[in-house]
Amino acid sequence: MGGHLSPWPTYTSGQTILQNRKPCSDDYRKQVGSCQQHPFRTAKPRYLEELENYLRKELLLLDLGTDSTQELRLQPYREIFEFFIEDFKTYKPLLSSIKNAYEGMLAHQREKIRALEPLKAKLVTVNEDCNERILAMRAEEKHEISLLKKEKMNLLKLIDKKNEEKISLQSEVAKLRKNLAEEYLHYLSERDARKILIADLNELQYQREDMSLAQSPGIWGEDPVKLTLALKMTRQDLTRTQMELNTMKANFGDVVPRRDFEMQEKTNKDLQEQLDTLRASYEEVRKEHEILMQLHMSTLKERDQFFSELQEIQRTSTPRPDWTKCEDVVAGGPERWQMLAEGKNSDQLVDVLLEEIGSGLLREKEFFPGLGYGEAIPAFLRFEGLVENKKPSKKDVVDLLKDAWKERLAEEQKETFPDFFFNFLERRFGPSDAMAWAYTIFENIKIFHSNEVMSQFYAVLMGKRSENVYVTQKETVAQLLKEMTNADSQNKGLLTMEQFNTVLKSTFPLKTEEQIQELMEAGGWHPSSSNADLLNYRSLFMEDEEGQSEPFVQKLWEQYMDEKDEYLQQLKQELGTELYEEVTLPKLRGALMTIDPSLNKQTVNTYMSQAFQLPESELPEDGDEKEEGVVEILQTALERLQVIDIRRVGPREPEPAN
């Protein structure tokens, strides 16, 4: 080398090939020296080509898809650097010091990462605990609020009932008062008429006596002394009567008449009753106000606690990423990234970015390493050695999966879905290429989570979802299309919004008005639209070349998954136990019949067979003593029910009012 490095490109022929020797050997130096005698030829040094070939072969032997091989990836570079250190004697001390410095820094970084790993796990655990506590507190708060609302409604109903009774009694009292006043006036007039009649009778009697005295011939012959005495006694009686009259006027001049006294007494009694009623109502309102104030204070405390927890989470959480940085990285530039990111949240954008990265790595890979023959390895992936990457396009994979589903649904299959999948590949590509296609398709569907066909096929293939879920969903979509076609009497492919709404309600009677409105909006309806607007309903069920459905069918799938989660959450609340406690067959059967009374016996047995992993023929009969002996962890049972097609059959019976 002459004590200095050779520049490149240099004028060498590069025709000498190194064979079975270490790079940077003496033979190589001689060949480099001889190559410098030809200054008019430009080629890459053979030594550099040998090093690049050696590095490329070593990297191909490594699987760069896992984190563990990232450390091994540095080993070929270390060996290349060692070759330089050994062959360039003049620069060996400097290159060795550079290598040692980098090795020391890598060791330091490894120790630092190893020290931070427990903190990361602890942070994840604390975050999960906080989320569980928040969800539990929200559920408890929601339950308490619902109970308080029910109690409030019952109290309002009781108040309305009391008010109706009060109004009824008031009207009855007013009617009785009116009748009493009429009777009083009647008796008063009768009394006055009686007095007048008595006075008239007395006057007539006096007149009759006077006339009889006047007509009597011997009246003028009475004794004057007797008449004088009678007159004197009469005057004394008159004086005494006058004195009694004056005494009565003096004693009872300020006395209220009995009629007025009785009326005032009755009015006072009514006012007292009203006062007592108002006092009772005030006491009830005061107690309700105290309860509401206590609830308000507890709500304020919970709000402050949640706010502090939110601030703590915001302080410790990572900042929101700037997704515009991905525009220059994703193939296709900003236009394609905007198309991919349209209408997606951060979690979905992460999936899109991972799909783009994963698809790029898949295109670069020529072979897949076999996973071996372990029991944990799926049957269709059990292989030793390298497997060729067939590199199909995304559309080719989707078409292949659709053909597999068609063949699966065409006739009843007795084999498991993974076995069927591998047999399908053998029939399609032959036994020699079946394993290569199995690995290729598996790696593709494992990456593309946003594609409906791939994600659903992957879930069924790995046992995370029963194939009945896919079949039932397809049957639901087909039934809905059939109902819309029947409603289209003119067979023009058009329906009014009113007909569209009617078909949705008849096909999905258990969906709420909000869910029906969501489906209509996904189909193209807007609140400002008229019911007479026409809708091309057939376009709602179309798919693009990659198998992606229209927003209407996607909304149907989202509502199905939300309804399943809500159904299982109601089942969990009905059981009323912790996730890690045991649940028996009778308890699960009773909880299912409580939240969904319309379930038939066959459906209940299907759910219980899945939850306890027992054949339906081995399930004990209802009321059998053996039922108490079959137990399972609640969380495990719920996870198993999540796999199958579980949904509400009929409405839940309303709770009886108190």
Side-chain angles (χ1 to χ4, degrees):
M1 297 298 295
H4 59 84
L5 295 176
S6 174
W8 181 79
T10 185
Y11 300 99
T12 57
S13 62
Q15 299 301 319
T16 304
I17 300 176
L18 301 177
Q19 296 180 354
N20 298 327
R21 51 182 168 72
K22 185 178 71 173
C24 298
S25 62
D26 294 336
D27 296 338
Y28 176 76
R29 293 172 184 166
K30 294 177 181 179
Q31 292 182 7
V32 170
S34 62
C35 291
Q36 289 179 350
Q37 298 176 1
H38 305 279
F40 300 104
R41 297 181 182 178
T42 303
K44 185 184 293 187
R46 179 58 58 185
Y47 181 58
L48 177 59
E49 291 182 356
E50 288 294 325
L51 290 178
E52 289 178 347
N53 292 333
Y54 176 77
L55 178 61
R56 188 180 299 108
K57 291 179 180 179
E58 290 294 327
L59 291 178
L60 284 176
L61 295 177
L62 299 176
D63 183 10
L64 301 183
T66 61
D67 294 338
S68 60
T69 57
Q70 295 298 329
E71 187 71 21
L72 296 176
R73 185 179 181 181
L74 296 176
Q75 188 59 31
Y77 294 97
R78 288 194 182 97
E79 294 178 1
I80 298 298
F81 202 63
E82 287 288 344
F83 295 158
F84 276 106
I85 293 174
E86 292 297 329
D87 287 288
F88 292 98
K89 304 296 184 179
T90 304
Y91 302 95
K92 182 174 182 180
L94 177 60
L95 296 176
S96 298
S97 62
I98 292 173
K99 178 192 174 190
N100 293 334
Y102 275 98
E103 291 292 340
M105 180 55 66
L106 287 175
H108 175 69
Q109 293 297 331
R110 290 193 198 97
E111 292 297 329
K112 193 171 182 180
I113 292 172
R114 191 177 296 108
L116 291 177
E117 283 296 331
L119 294 178
K120 181 180 178 182
K122 184 176 180 181
L123 179 61
V124 173
T125 304
V126 170
N127 189 14
E128 291 178 354
D129 293 340
C130 291
N131 290 335
E132 290 179 358
R133 288 176 57 192
I134 290 174
L135 292 176
M137 295 176 69
R138 286 179 180 172
E140 183 178 357
E141 177 187 1
K142 184 177 180 182
H143 181 65
E144 291 180 358
I145 289 175
S146 63
L147 292 179
L148 290 175
K149 285 183 178 179
K150 292 178 182 177
E151 184 177 0
K152 179 183 176 183
M153 293 301 296
N154 293 332
L155 292 176
L156 290 175
K157 291 179 181 178
L158 182 61
I159 290 173
D160 293 338
K161 185 178 180 181
K162 294 296 182 183
N163 289 333
E164 292 176 358
E165 293 179 356
K166 176 183 174 182
I167 293 172
S168 176
L169 291 175
Q170 286 178 350
S171 61
E172 186 175 355
V173 168
K175 184 178 180 181
L176 291 175
R177 284 179 182 175
K178 184 178 180 181
N179 294 335
L180 180 61
E182 292 177 355
E183 291 294 329
Y184 183 77
L185 292 175
H186 176 69
Y187 287 133
L188 185 62
S189 61
E190 288 290 335
R191 186 192 66 175
D192 294 340
R194 183 173 177 276
K195 287 182 179 180
I196 293 172
L197 181 61
I198 292 173
D200 292 341
L201 290 175
N202 291 334
E203 183 67 25
L204 290 174
Q205 187 177 0
Y206 291 153
Q207 291 179 2
R208 186 184 299 170
E209 289 178 357
D210 291 341
M211 291 177 65
S212 63
L213 289 174
Q215 295 176 0
S216 176
I219 192 171
W220 300 108
E222 290 187 3
D223 188 0
V225 177
K226 184 178 179 181
L227 292 174
T228 302
L229 182 62
L231 178 60
K232 181 180 179 180
M233 295 300 295
T234 303
R235 287 176 177 173
Q236 290 178 356
D237 292 338
L238 178 61
T239 303
R240 187 173 62 253
T241 304
Q242 188 69 35
M243 290 177 63
E244 290 179 358
L245 179 61
N246 293 334
T247 302
M248 292 290 290
K249 288 182 178 180
N251 292 334
F252 299 100
D254 297 333
V255 175
V256 178
R258 185 174 185 82
R259 179 178 61 185
D260 296 339
F261 172 75
E262 291 177 353
M263 292 179 65
Q264 293 295 331
E265 186 178 15
K266 189 168 186 60
T267 303
N268 182 36
K269 185 177 180 181
D270 294 338
L271 292 175
Q272 187 65 33
E273 291 178 355
Q274 293 180 5
L275 178 61
D276 295 338
T277 304
L278 291 175
R279 282 179 178 174
S281 301
Y282 169 75
E283 189 66 24
E284 292 179 359
V285 172
R286 186 183 64 80
K287 291 180 180 179
E288 184 177 356
H289 178 263
E290 291 178 354
I291 295 173
L292 292 176
M293 286 299 296
Q294 294 176 0
L295 178 61
H296 176 67
M297 294 303 296
S298 62
T299 306
L300 285 179
K301 291 180 181 179
E302 293 178 359
R303 184 200 66 182
D304 295 339
Q305 182 180 359
F306 288 148
F307 181 73
S308 60
E309 291 179 358
L310 176 61
Q311 287 182 332
E312 181 66 20
I313 292 173
Q314 290 177 348
R315 185 181 63 82
T316 56
S317 61
T318 56
R320 184 175 180 84
D322 184 11
W323 294 108
T324 57
K325 296 179 181 179
C326 301
E327 294 178 352
D328 299 330
V329 179
V330 175
E335 292 79 7
R336 185 168 183 270
W337 174 252
Q338 290 179 2
M339 182 186 66
L340 293 175
E342 183 179 0
K344 293 182 174 62
N345 54 30
S346 296
D347 186 48
Q348 293 172 340
L349 288 176
V350 171
D351 291 338
V352 171
L353 191 58
L354 290 176
E355 289 178 5
E356 290 295 318
I357 296 173
S359 61
L361 292 175
L362 280 179
R363 287 193 296 268
E364 293 177 359
K365 281 187 178 182
E366 298 292 338
F367 298 94
F368 297 113
L371 300 179
Y373 294 93
E375 294 182 358
I377 307 300
F380 60 91
L381 296 178
R382 293 177 183 174
F383 186 77
E384 288 284 356
L386 296 177
V387 182
E388 181 186 359
N389 182 9
K390 295 297 183 178
K391 296 183 179 181
S393 64
K394 192 174 181 180
K395 181 180 181 301
D396 295 336
V397 176
V398 171
D399 293 340
L400 185 63
L401 297 182
K402 288 183 178 180
D403 293 342
W405 275 119
K406 290 179 181 178
E407 185 172 333
R408 180 69 173 179
L409 300 178
E411 55 185 10
E412 183 179 357
Q413 304 288 342
K414 297 182 180 180
E415 56 189 351
T416 62
F417 195 82
D419 293 339
F420 158 77
F421 174 61
F422 190 75
N423 293 335
F424 169 77
L425 294 178
E426 285 185 337
R427 290 190 295 270
R428 175 66 65 92
F429 303 104
S432 59
D433 289 339
M435 187 59 67
W437 277 102
Y439 270 84
T440 301
I441 293 178
F442 178 76
E443 292 295 333
N444 277 272
I445 65 177
K446 185 172 65 174
I447 291 175
F448 293 102
H449 297 287
S450 62
N451 186 276
E452 298 176 20
V453 179
M454 293 188 183
S455 61
Q456 292 183 5
F457 197 90
Y458 177 77
V460 175
L461 189 63
M462 301 306 294
K464 298 179 180 179
R465 188 178 299 150
S466 173
E467 57 182 300
N468 289 334
V469 176
Y470 176 84
V471 175
T472 305
Q473 185 67 12
K474 288 297 182 183
E475 291 176 351
T476 302
V477 173
Q479 179 65 24
L480 182 59
L481 178 59
K482 181 180 178 182
E483 294 293 334
M484 291 184 181
T485 305
N486 294 335
D488 182 13
S489 58
Q490 298 180 357
N491 197 21
K492 293 183 178 180
L494 299 176
L495 290 177
T496 63
M497 287 300 174
E498 184 176 358
Q499 291 175 326
F500 185 43
N501 183 287
T502 304
V503 171
L504 289 177
K505 288 183 178 180
S506 62
T507 308
F508 307 109
L510 298 180
K511 288 188 181 294
T512 61
E513 289 292 337
E514 292 78 5
Q515 290 176 321
I516 296 296
Q517 186 172 357
E518 288 178 357
L519 291 175
M520 292 186 66
E521 291 177 357
W525 177 82
H526 298 284
S528 59
S529 302
S530 172
N531 289 334
D533 292 345
L534 296 179
L535 170 69
N536 183 8
Y537 63 89
R538 293 174 183 171
S539 62
L540 303 179
F541 302 91
M542 298 178 65
E543 296 180 353
D544 59 12
E545 61 179 8
E546 294 183 353
Q548 291 295 102
S549 303
E550 291 296 319
F552 177 75
V553 178
Q554 294 179 8
K555 179 58 68 175
L556 276 176
W557 174 255
E558 292 176 5
Q559 289 186 357
Y560 167 75
M561 296 303 295
D562 293 341
E563 290 168 358
K564 178 190 283 189
D565 294 339
E566 182 182 0
Y567 190 81
L568 293 177
Q569 185 65 26
Q570 291 177 359
L571 180 61
K572 175 187 171 184
Q573 292 179 358
E574 186 64 30
L575 291 172
T577 57
E578 297 294 333
L579 286 176
Y580 296 100
E581 291 188 7
E582 294 180 344
V583 60
T584 60
L585 275 172
K587 195 169 185 179
L588 181 59
R589 190 194 305 273
L592 287 170
M593 296 305 299
T594 301
I595 66 173
D596 196 359
S598 302
L599 285 174
N600 54 38
K601 184 177 180 181
Q602 179 62 35
T603 307
V604 173
N605 289 338
T606 302
Y607 293 166
M608 296 179 68
S609 172
Q610 175 68 18
F612 290 89
Q613 293 295 293
L614 290 174
E616 294 186 22
S617 59
E618 297 182 7
L619 287 175
E621 294 292 334
D622 188 8
D624 194 348
E625 295 181 355
K626 294 181 180 179
E627 275 196 317
E628 297 292 341
V630 181
V631 295
E632 186 56 82
I633 303 299
L634 177 58
Q635 184 178 12
T636 304
L638 293 177
E639 289 176 354
R640 291 172 178 172
L641 290 175
Q642 184 72 36
V643 175
I644 64 173
D645 177 32
I646 181 170
R647 65 177 69 196
R648 179 172 295 282
V649 177
R652 184 170 185 172
E653 293 182 356
E655 297 181 359
N658 294 330

